[in-house]
């Protein structure tokens, strides 16, 4: 079985991130680099992380006109990352341009294309927040609409909350990869994550990849926490 655990490197410095990555690498499948770390440590940090042999998920959630997003995706692909995010709300043309740029750039380098993941509705939104934007359908329906739009535009994966896994699996073809944060073990406090599943429950509900941050990096022994999580999946 491929290790589906992606560790969110939500730590302030590249030194801390590299230390954490080396510590947990034997028991995880990839590392997620978000806006804070990328804005402070940049492409050099991505190159250092890739040099350890780790797979990298660049979570910058691009959303702009298609041409601009395509160029950003091409640049990310040249960094040899394995996954990246764009906002599905950027529309079908933007998503097609992003997927096309990933495919073309990777082909020109003789590498597999990174997985371009669509982000549907941020979990910070509720129905009232969407209504303020003129979207009266509610979160559930809007997530489904954007997921179908993303799949129709050629994206091969989506980010979704644990509770969206089952409905999206019913809606989408099985090849679509689903990446889900909000993973907690029974023992953890769920901190600010309100809707959580355990790693095993999320995989059974159809997750392809699990993004896990605090249960690993804030554990007393991150390497052991990663090992226990990986083992809980019956590796
Ligand atoms: O520490 P925790 O396991 O909650 O980290 C989850 C990671 O997934 C963080 O990097 C967080 O920003 C990200 N994320 C999330 N919920 C979303 C989207 C992304 O927790 N809806």
């Amino acid at each position: 079985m491929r290790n589906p655990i992606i560790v969110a490197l939500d730590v302030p410095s590249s030194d801390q991130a590299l230390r954490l990555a080396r510590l947990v690498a034997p028991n995880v499948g990839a590392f997620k680099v978000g806006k804070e770390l990328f804005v402070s440590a940049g492409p050099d940090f991505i190159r250092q992380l890739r040099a350890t042999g780790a797979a990298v998920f660049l979570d910058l959630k691009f959303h702009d006109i298609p041409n601009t997003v395509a160029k950003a995706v091409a640049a990310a692909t040249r960094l040899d990352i394995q996954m990246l995010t764009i906002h599905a709300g950027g529309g079908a043309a933007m998503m097609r341009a992003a997927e096309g740029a990933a495919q073309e750039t990777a082909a020109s380098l003789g590498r597999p294309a990174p997985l371009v993941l669509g982000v549907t509705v941020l979990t910070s939104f509720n129905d009232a927040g969407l209504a303020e934007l003129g979207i009266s359908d509610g979160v559930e329906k809007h997530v489904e609409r954007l997921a179908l739009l993303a799949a129709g535009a050629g994206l091969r994966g989506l980010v979704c909350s644990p509770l969206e896994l089952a409905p999206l699996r019913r809606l989408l073809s099985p090849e679509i990869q689903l990446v889900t944060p909000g993973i907690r073990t029974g023992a953890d406090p769920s901190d600010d994550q309100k809707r959580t599943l355990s790693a095993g429950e999320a995989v059974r509900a159809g997750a392809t990849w699990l993004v896990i941050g605090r249960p690993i990096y804030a554990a007393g022994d991150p390497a052991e926490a990663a090992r226990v999580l990986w083992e809980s999946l019956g590796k």
Side-chain angles (χ1 to χ4, degrees):
M1 177 186 173
R2 173 186 53 76
N3 189 321
I5 299 171
I6 302 175
V7 178
L9 294 176
D10 295 335
V11 294
S13 75
S14 54
D15 284 353
Q16 277 168 279
L18 282 172
R19 220 174 305 128
L20 175 65
R22 290 207 177 88
L23 209 55
V24 302
N27 288 297
V28 308
F31 294 98
K32 182 171 89 74
V33 178
K35 287 189 172 89
E36 183 187 10
L37 191 53
F38 189 77
V39 169
S40 51
D44 275 347
F45 169 71
I46 302 293
R47 290 187 196 99
Q48 285 176 287
L49 189 56
R50 284 292 294 133
T52 69
V56 175
F57 170 11
L58 188 61
D59 184 21
L60 300 179
K61 299 189 180 70
F62 297 137
H63 185 165
D64 210 313
I65 59 171
N67 182 56
T68 301
V69 168
K71 286 182 179 168
V73 169
T77 305
R78 286 193 291 272
L79 280 175
D80 194 21
I81 50 104
Q82 283 60 52
M83 301 182 188
L84 64 95
T85 43
I86 63 174
H87 273 288
M94 189 201 84
M95 291 190 276
R96 270 195 303 276
E99 179 66 26
Q103 299 283 354
E104 283 159 30
T105 309
S108 74
L109 296 167
R111 292 188 200 133
L115 183 64
V116 178
L117 297 162
V119 173
T120 59
V121 178
L122 294 172
T123 48
S124 49
F125 269 97
N126 57 16
D127 290 355
L130 283 185
E132 283 172 356
L133 300 181
I135 300 160
S136 54
D137 272 339
V139 170
E140 212 173 307
K141 191 136 182 247
H142 200 52
V143 166
E144 294 192 358
R145 176 188 292 127
L146 289 174
L148 288 172
L149 190 70
L155 295 200
R156 293 159 291 143
L158 293 165
V159 178
C160 69
S161 84
L163 300 190
E164 289 161 2
L165 284 166
L168 289 181
R169 274 289 166 234
R170 281 194 291 274
L171 193 69
L172 300 167
S173 100
E175 295 89 69
I176 298 279
Q177 301 195 36
L178 296 179
V179 179
T180 189
I183 303 300
R184 290 295 179 270
T185 65
D188 301 321
S190 66
D191 31 65
D192 58 354
Q193 296 283 15
K194 305 248 181 304
R195 302 188 302 165
T196 65
L197 287 184
S198 74
E201 286 167 338
V203 168
R204 283 192 292 280
T208 322
W209 296 95
L210 311 171
V211 175
I212 306 181
R214 286 162 287 185
I216 291 179
Y217 72 74
D221 182 346
E224 176 64 6
R227 192 191 63 75
V228 168
L229 270 161
W230 177 214
E231 231 164 52
S232 78
L233 294 172
K235 60 151 184 150

